[in-house]
Amino acid sequence: MEDVVSFWRGRRVFLTGHTGFKGGWLALWLAQRGARVRGFALEPDTEPNLFTVASVGAAVEDVRGDVRDYAALEKALTAFEPEVVFHLAAQPLVRRSYAEPLATFAANAMGTVHLLEAVRKAPGVRAVVCVTTDKVYRNHGGDAPYGEDDALGGHDAYAASKACAEMAAAAYRDSFFAPEQGTALATARAGNVIGGGDWSKDRLIPDLIRGFEAQEPVRIRRPKAIRPWQHVLEPLSGYMLLAERLMKEPRRFATAFNFGPAEEDAWPVERIADAMAAMWGAGAAWTNDEREHVHEDHALRLDISRARRELGWEPRLRIEQALEWTMNWYRAARRGEEMQRATLEQIAAYERLAQGSA
C-alpha cells in the first residue's frame, strides 16, 4: 500500500465531474493518498449531494465549469499542468437522456472531445483515464457477458453518446496519443455502481432510500432486469490502478477495460430491492411499477477477464457486502455523523481488504 500512496503523493491530477457521486468518492480517495487534485464540474445535480454532505470541496481545488464550454475547460486544465487526468463529467442517467437527448450528446460525446483536445494542448499530461459505461455495447439480446472487443452501440441517447465518447477516445489515441508522443489514454467501462451519497433520480438505490425514509412502497420498474452491481470503490480502484499502469507501461495499457463484479453478483433488480428492504426493516417495501417505460435492456453482464489478467485487478466486495456498506453510509448520514470522515473510513476499510488479498 505504501508504494501506491507514494505514487500519488504530490501528483497533480485533473478530475472532471468531482461534484458527482463517483467523482466525489474519487476526489476524496485521491486527496487521501496525497494527490493534488483540481476538480472541474457543474454545481451538484441533487439536493442533498455527496459533494456537500462529505465536504469534498475542502479536500480538492474546486473549479466550477461545463465540459461543453471548451474555452473554460482548456483554461482550467492547461493552467493546472496535470500529469494525470480522470474524465468522469457526464450526463449519467438513461431515462433523462430520453427527455434531453441533445444535452446528453453535448455533454457525453462533445464534452469528451473537448477534454481530449484540451489534453492534446497540455504536453505535461502523461495518463488519461476516460470513464464511459457498461452500456456502450451493442445489445446482443443474450445473457453472455460483454467483452472490450465487442461491437459498440446504443439504443438510447445515453448509451449512444457514451459509445461516441469511446470512438472519440480511440481516434485521439490513434492520431495524437501514441505512447512515444508522451500521453497514454485508456477508457474504463464500469458496471452499475452503488454506494453511499448517491441521490440521483431514477436510480435503484437512491429511489429505495427515498421511499424507505418516506415509509412508502417504492415503485420498481423491470424487477427481473439483471445488472452488474458493484460498490463505487470497486471501479474507482480500477481507474487509479489503470492510471498508474499507464504511467509505467503506456504501450501495454492504452486500451479499453471493463470493471465489474464477479459473475454471480449480477443480480436481478428485485433481489437488490428485497435485500435493501430487509436491511432497512421497519416496514420497508417495494412494488412492481407496471406502467409503460422507455426501453432498457433486460440483461447486462461484463467480462472482466482483461482487467484481471492485465492489471491484476479483482473485485473485493461481494454484493451482500456492497449493499451493507451502502446502507451503513446512509444510516450514518441520517444520524448526522461527519460524512467526510465516514466516507474515508469506508475507503480505508476497502484498502485493508485489498491488502489482505494481495
Side-chain angles (χ1 to χ4, degrees):
M1 181 58 63
E2 180 58 33
D3 288 344
V4 172
V5 173
S6 43
F7 174 89
W8 290 103
R9 189 176 293 124
R11 189 82 63 184
R12 300 173 72 84
V13 180
F14 189 84
L15 167 62
T16 70
H18 70 294
T19 60
F21 166 53
K22 287 172 71 177
W25 276 88
L26 181 56
L28 287 178
W29 201 348
L30 287 165
Q32 183 267 338
R33 287 186 169 180
R36 180 179 172 185
V37 181
R38 172 178 283 190
F40 181 90
L42 296 169
E43 296 289 331
D45 195 38
T46 64
E47 182 57 48
N49 58 81
L50 177 70
F51 182 83
T52 301
V53 170
S55 303
V56 176
V60 304
E61 184 179 338
D62 176 25
V63 177
R64 296 304 163 88
D66 192 332
V67 293
R68 293 170 294 186
D69 181 347
Y70 173 72
L73 175 59
E74 182 194 4
K75 180 180 178 181
L77 189 149
T78 55
F80 186 62
E81 299 181 341
E83 287 183 271
V84 180
V85 174
F86 291 99
H87 178 46
L88 276 71
Q91 191 298 93
L93 301 173
V94 173
R95 285 165 62 84
R96 183 187 292 179
S97 77
Y98 280 90
E100 303 174 9
L102 183 60
T104 299
F105 275 100
N108 297 352
M110 285 308 300
T112 299
V113 173
H114 290 166
L115 182 280
L116 296 173
E117 181 64 13
V119 167
R120 188 170 75 90
K121 296 183 178 180
V125 177
R126 295 177 55 197
V128 182
V129 176
C130 181
V131 176
T132 60
T133 175
D134 56 358
K135 296 172 181 63
V136 297
Y137 297 108
R138 181 185 302 162
N139 186 263
H140 52 45
D143 289 335
Y146 291 90
E148 291 90 344
D149 295 326
D150 286 343
L152 302 178
H155 184 279
D156 53 78
Y158 171 74
S161 65
K162 286 292 194 172
C164 289
E166 284 280 350
M167 295 176 69
Y172 266 79
R173 181 167 51 231
D174 291 344
S175 299
F176 308 115
F177 299 150
E180 60 272 11
Q181 292 174 291
T183 302
L185 166 65
T187 58
R189 307 164 183 175
N192 282 51
V193 174
I194 64 173
D198 187 4
W199 280 281
S200 299
K201 293 182 180 180
D202 293 323
R203 277 188 182 155
L204 179 61
I205 299 299
D207 286 348
L208 288 170
I209 295 295
R210 277 188 288 267
F212 295 165
E213 289 179 336
Q215 299 183 323
E216 298 175 351
V218 181
R219 286 184 171 184
I220 300 296
R221 64 185 190 275
R222 297 184 176 84
K224 303 293 183 183
I226 297 168
R227 295 292 182 266
W229 310 97
Q230 59 184 157
H231 192 274
V232 61
L233 293 175
E234 302 276 38
L236 296 186
S237 70
Y239 302 166
M240 289 191 289
L241 179 59
L242 180 54
E244 293 165 30
R245 295 288 194 270
L246 285 169
M247 295 279 281
K248 295 174 181 177
E249 296 184 68
R251 188 178 299 278
R252 178 178 175 184
F253 295 104
T255 186
F257 286 89
N258 285 340
F259 296 101
E263 187 173 348
E264 57 269 27
D265 286 341
W267 282 13
V269 168
E270 62 185 359
R271 190 173 176 186
I272 298 289
D274 285 342
M276 290 289 286
M279 283 189 284
W280 186 274
W286 64 274
T287 184
N288 185 11
D289 186 350
E290 297 182 347
R291 295 173 297 179
E292 185 174 349
H293 299 286
V294 298
H295 170 86
E296 293 178 86
D297 296 329
H298 171 69
L300 182 53
R301 293 182 173 89
L302 288 178
D303 178 354
I304 59 173
S305 58
R306 177 180 290 178
R308 281 175 160 151
R309 181 180 66 251
E310 297 295 325
L311 297 172
W313 177 87
E314 287 281 350
R316 309 297 181 187
L317 292 173
R318 296 303 308 274
I319 184 60
E320 295 91 346
Q321 292 174 287
L323 292 171
E324 181 181 358
W325 285 29
T326 300
M327 185 64 76
N328 289 344
W329 195 99
Y330 284 109
R331 283 173 171 159
R334 291 183 78 207
R335 291 192 298 267
E337 294 187 14
E338 203 288 295
M339 292 312 296
Q340 185 183 105
R341 183 179 67 249
T343 304
L344 291 173
E345 286 174 354
Q346 287 200 343
I347 290 172
Y350 183 85
E351 290 183 330
R352 288 193 295 271
L353 276 177
Q355 283 181 287
S357 57

